[in-house]
């Protein structure tokens, strides 16, 4: 920053939310010149605007605010003296408090403190579904007029993926035939366990067994899942791929027989939208909010019942016309709400609040 004389005449400060940088100890400052690991709460608006404007390289260096603050992320606890917007992605610590990722190590209390204090005080609360709106109203009594529903947009990279040799990429990842795909971090609520049980049922009697490609980082559940795969006798069909490059991610969607998405957390999720845009049919958990987000473009199953997942895979396998129909419906749904739509709605909210903000200095 100093060498390039960026932000001349200004003080530049760095803030690291340690809870979002799981790869680092809480007292360490990551090297901002290196690749930064994925955070749990992303400054969505900044990224969406940058993508909307067509930037191919995005550097999140900082921001300053004195009139209105776009978003307070999860677990931020410095009070603001300016109006702000916050986004609520889920309230699963209230709905399913037994999962360790929303309860252990004091995390339930941390989440509850954030939502109780900052969601109630926000000028606007953004959520992706009407189901999300109902949950916010029910748990935190936020007036309906301060809650805005902005559906998650389909990520822009899915619409114009780079040309690449997908077959070679899949081969390098260990894909040898037909496969199911599930991109998700290894948290308990992602429900990989029942998907492994389903894989055993799917492959019973199959001369060409399905592989299962899993991508994502470990959040404490990977060893359990490796052990479970061994005990079920499916370890040879399961690929634990970790993080993959975007080109590999695209290839995995495009080549998969289906996205099997058994996550138990809603009310909305991004990977089904990515799958829709890239021509991959979707089998998904029937969690609250799923049908509102994905409409008739997905097959809905009880993902706590492995036989339900297996039945949906067999349904697509035995009915190629249905699979083609789901792909076509997915393409239509993917383009229904994009990053450009999201940005326009955010600007509309900011313009609306301008009439209020002019009332004081």
């Amino acid at each position: 920053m100093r060498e390039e004389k960026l932000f001349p005449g200004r003080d530049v400060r760095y803030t690291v939310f340690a809870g979002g940088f799981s790869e680092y100890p809480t007292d360490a400052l990551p090297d901002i010149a290196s690749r930064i690991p994925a955070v749990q709460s992303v400054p969505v608006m900044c990224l969406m605007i940058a993508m909307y404007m067509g930037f191919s390289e995005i550097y999140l260096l900082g921001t300053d605010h004195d009139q209105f603050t776009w978003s307070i992320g999860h677990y931020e606890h410095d009070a603001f003296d300016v109006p702000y917007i916050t986004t609520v992605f889920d309230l699963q610590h209230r709905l399913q408090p037994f999962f360790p990722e929303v309860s252990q190590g004091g995390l339930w209390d941390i989440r509850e403190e954030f939502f109780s204090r900052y969601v109630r005080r926000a000028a606007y609360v953004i959520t992706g579904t009407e189901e999300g709106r109902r949950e916010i109203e029910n748990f935190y009594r936020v007036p309906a007029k301060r809650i805005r529903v902005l559906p998650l947009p389909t990520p822009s990279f899915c619409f114009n993926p780079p040309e690449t040799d997908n077959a070679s990429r899949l081969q390098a990842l260990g894909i040898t035939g037909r496969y199911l795909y599930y991109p998700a971090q290894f948290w308990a609520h992602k429900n990989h366990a029942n998907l492994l049980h389903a894989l055993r049922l799917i492959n019973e009697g199959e001369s060409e067994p399905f592989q299962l490609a899993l991508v994502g980082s470990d959040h404490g559940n990977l060893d359990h899942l490796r052990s479970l795969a061994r005990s079920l006798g499916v370890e040879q069909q399961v690929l634990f791929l970790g993080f993959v490059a975007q080109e590999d991610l695209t290839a995995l969607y495009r080549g998969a027989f289906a996205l099997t998405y058994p996550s138990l957390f809603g009310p909305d999720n991004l990977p089904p939208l990515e799958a829709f845009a890239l021509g991959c049919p979707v089998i998904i958990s029937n969690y609250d909010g799923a049908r509102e987000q994905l409409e008739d473009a997905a097959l809905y199953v009880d993902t706590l019942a492995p036989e339900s997942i297996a039945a949906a895979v067999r349904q697509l396998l035995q009915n190629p016309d249905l699979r083609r129909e789901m792909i076509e419906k997915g393409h239509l749904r993917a383009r229904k709400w994009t990053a450009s739509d999201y940005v326009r709605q955010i600007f509309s909210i900011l313009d609306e609040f301008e009439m209020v903000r002019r009332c004081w200095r």
Side-chain angles (χ1 to χ4, degrees):
M1 299 270 295
R2 286 191 296 267
E3 288 176 0
E4 299 298 327
K5 296 181 174 58
L6 298 178
F7 304 116
R10 297 191 181 191
D11 291 330
V12 178
R13 298 179 176 86
Y14 303 96
T15 301
V16 175
F17 299 107
F21 290 83
S22 57
E23 305 284 334
Y24 292 89
T26 56
D27 59 350
L29 182 68
D31 177 6
I32 63 172
S34 302
R35 182 177 180 181
I36 297 176
V39 296
Q40 295 178 14
S41 182
V42 179
V44 179
M45 182 184 181
C46 297
L47 294 176
M48 291 300 177
I49 292 174
M51 289 187 289
Y52 175 66
M53 294 176 67
F55 289 100
S56 59
E57 295 185 4
I58 303 170
Y59 301 88
L60 300 181
L61 298 178
T63 182
D64 51 28
H65 55 78
D66 59 6
Q67 301 295 321
F68 195 95
T69 298
W70 150 241
S71 181
I72 297 183
H74 285 37
Y75 321 138
E76 166 60 59
H77 292 294
D78 288 334
F80 282 111
D81 289 329
V82 295
Y84 60 83
I85 296 174
T86 193
T87 302
V88 173
F89 296 105
D90 72 77
L91 296 174
Q92 294 296 326
H93 73 293
R94 281 294 196 104
L95 294 164
Q96 302 185 79
F98 36 80
F99 279 104
E101 51 267 38
V102 296
S103 60
Q104 288 185 354
L107 190 53
W108 192 97
D109 294 309
I110 293 171
R111 286 176 63 104
E112 185 62 17
E113 180 184 358
F114 170 78
F115 289 117
S116 295
R117 294 176 61 189
Y118 294 100
V119 169
R120 285 173 173 166
R121 186 178 166 184
Y124 296 99
V125 181
I126 305 298
T127 187
T129 60
E130 290 295 335
E131 175 62 29
R133 180 204 293 271
R134 286 189 290 271
E135 292 170 5
I136 295 165
E137 287 187 69
N138 179 43
F139 291 127
Y140 298 107
R141 299 293 187 260
V142 178
K145 66 181 181 180
R146 285 174 32 217
I147 305 173
R148 299 302 169 89
V149 175
L150 274 63
L152 291 176
T154 303
S156 300
F157 80 87
C158 299
F159 294 122
N160 295 293
E163 292 298 324
T164 183
D165 185 348
N166 290 333
S168 296
R169 286 189 172 277
L170 294 177
Q171 185 177 17
L173 292 171
I175 302 293
T176 58
R178 59 187 182 178
Y179 66 95
L180 305 170
Y181 179 45
Y182 185 30
Q185 313 275 40
F186 290 101
W187 279 302
H189 76 267
K190 293 300 186 180
N191 195 23
H192 293 83
N194 280 298
L195 184 55
L196 293 176
H197 280 276
L199 182 66
R200 181 179 62 82
L201 296 176
I202 292 164
N203 285 337
E204 284 181 348
E206 288 288 337
S207 58
E208 183 189 351
F210 278 92
Q211 291 180 291
L212 175 61
L214 304 174
V215 303
S217 64
D218 182 22
H219 286 267
N221 215 38
L222 182 55
D223 286 344
H224 166 64
L225 295 170
R226 289 186 184 277
S227 176
L228 179 60
R230 287 192 295 271
S231 68
L232 292 172
V234 297
E235 70 275 18
Q236 296 302 314
Q237 285 85 53
V238 182
L239 301 171
F240 295 98
L241 300 176
F243 275 116
V244 297
Q246 186 169 297
E247 292 80 5
D248 291 332
L249 185 78
T250 300
L252 284 163
Y253 276 121
R254 285 178 152 178
F257 180 78
L259 173 74
T260 45
Y261 201 83
S263 177
L264 299 171
F265 279 15
D268 48 4
N269 284 283
L270 271 176
L273 300 177
E274 296 173 345
F276 287 163
L278 291 166
C280 179
V282 173
I283 298 169
I284 193 164
S285 174
N286 192 24
Y287 52 75
D288 291 341
R291 291 178 185 271
E292 179 187 345
Q293 182 195 17
L294 307 177
E295 301 173 349
D296 64 348
L299 293 181
Y300 298 94
V301 297
D302 177 2
T303 52
L304 290 177
E307 60 272 15
S308 181
I309 304 172
V313 173
R314 293 195 188 102
Q315 188 179 4
L316 292 179
L317 189 61
Q318 295 165 6
N319 190 343
D321 289 339
L322 174 62
R323 186 171 181 273
R324 284 190 290 271
E325 179 185 348
M326 300 310 295
I327 291 172
E328 291 170 3
K329 289 181 176 179
H331 280 308
L332 293 174
R333 174 58 190 86
R335 293 194 175 275
K336 186 174 180 179
W337 186 260
T338 66
S340 300
D341 301 313
Y342 193 95
V343 171
R344 278 193 290 268
Q345 289 299 311
I346 290 295
F347 284 151
S348 176
I349 292 172
L350 297 176
D351 290 341
E352 176 184 327
F353 193 77
E354 181 183 4
M355 311 306 173
V356 177
R357 184 60 185 88
R358 65 172 54 153
C359 294
W360 71 94
R361 183 176 176 181

